[in-house]
Amino acid sequence: LQSGVYIERSGFNLSLWSNCGLRSRDHLNSDEVDYSIGYSYSLKDSFDLDMSLIFGYTYYDFPPAGTNSQEVFFGIGWDVLLSPSFTWFHDFESENKGGGRGDYLLAEFGHSIQIGSSQLTLDLSGHVGYNRRLFISGEGSDLGLNIGLTFKVSENISISPSLGYSLPLGDLRESGDGNQRDEFSGGAALVFNI
């Protein structure tokens, strides 16, 4: 079960995200709480480019295990069709404190299609990730696809239910390492614009 809160203002963003494992395929406890701060800088006004630079920091807390980890991330995004973005995540916490001491590269895309003249949009997105020794001993990749709907309740409020599918590859899939499997997931987001 996953839940979170995301706040954004003037390029800055704060987020709180939590994961409570309802089932596990191994002895590891996957419960965690993440605290993140970031900033997105648009290059449109300064350089007339439809691009943004993204950077930030995340603190990972694993309460049942009594461990934690820390990560910095840097990325670039384009304000064009499919909204592609590339982000590099680097975990620098020591392994004896619970750190992953590895890297994760993420390529994402997404597009929303308005359905007729209604307040409803069809939202399509996906990602390809590459994991290098981040909480695994080897290397692996993962693919993800999401489909959802966004319904605008009012000028400032919208609701977005969605379904997702994830596919781990390489060492992420190995039973002696990442031990991940194909998974379907579902959720919903409630957005307030102030």
Side-chain angles (χ1 to χ4, degrees):
L1 178 65
Q2 299 176 346
S3 60
V5 177
Y6 182 86
I7 302 173
E8 182 177 10
R9 180 77 176 184
S10 302
F12 289 95
N13 61 76
L14 296 170
S15 68
L16 171 65
W17 180 89
S18 66
N19 179 81
C20 178
L22 299 179
R23 62 179 180 173
S24 178
R25 293 188 175 87
D26 51 35
H27 66 284
L28 300 176
N29 196 322
S30 59
D31 294 358
E32 68 176 270
V33 181
D34 303 345
Y35 308 87
S36 183
I37 183 171
Y39 181 72
S40 176
Y41 177 73
S42 175
L43 301 179
K44 182 66 175 178
D45 294 335
S46 302
F47 302 98
D48 196 28
L49 296 173
D50 293 325
M51 299 167 59
S52 295
L53 300 179
I54 307 157
F55 54 91
Y57 164 84
T58 302
Y59 178 85
Y60 298 88
D61 185 23
F62 308 106
T67 59
N68 65 269
S69 190
Q70 300 182 75
E71 181 180 78
V72 291
F73 58 88
F74 304 91
I76 184 170
W78 286 265
D79 187 17
V80 295
L81 182 66
L82 298 184
S83 303
S85 66
F86 297 92
T87 311
W88 169 55
F89 301 85
H90 176 67
D91 189 304
F92 60 89
E93 185 61 89
S94 62
E95 293 184 5
N96 62 353
K97 290 185 177 180
R101 276 292 185 181
D103 299 281
Y104 183 71
L105 301 176
L106 179 66
E108 297 177 286
F109 67 89
H111 186 64
S112 294
I113 303 168
Q114 185 171 350
I115 300 176
S117 58
S118 68
Q119 297 291 319
L120 193 66
T121 61
L122 174 65
D123 308 319
L124 306 171
S125 63
H127 79 265
V128 178
Y130 169 70
N131 185 319
R132 181 180 178 276
R133 298 185 179 277
L134 183 57
F135 294 108
I136 61 173
S137 59
E139 299 179 357
S141 301
D142 65 283
L143 306 175
L145 294 173
N146 289 277
I147 182 170
L149 296 170
T150 295
F151 177 70
K152 199 166 184 180
V153 179
S154 69
E155 188 67 28
N156 300 319
I157 301 174
S158 62
I159 299 174
S160 303
S162 63
L163 293 173
Y165 173 72
S166 60
L167 172 68
L169 302 168
D171 289 330
L172 279 173
R173 198 174 185 88
E174 291 297 320
S175 59
D177 203 347
N179 198 31
Q180 301 297 309
R181 297 291 180 268
D182 304 10
E183 285 191 343
F184 284 95
S185 61
L190 179 62
V191 179
F192 295 88
N193 293 313
I194 301 174

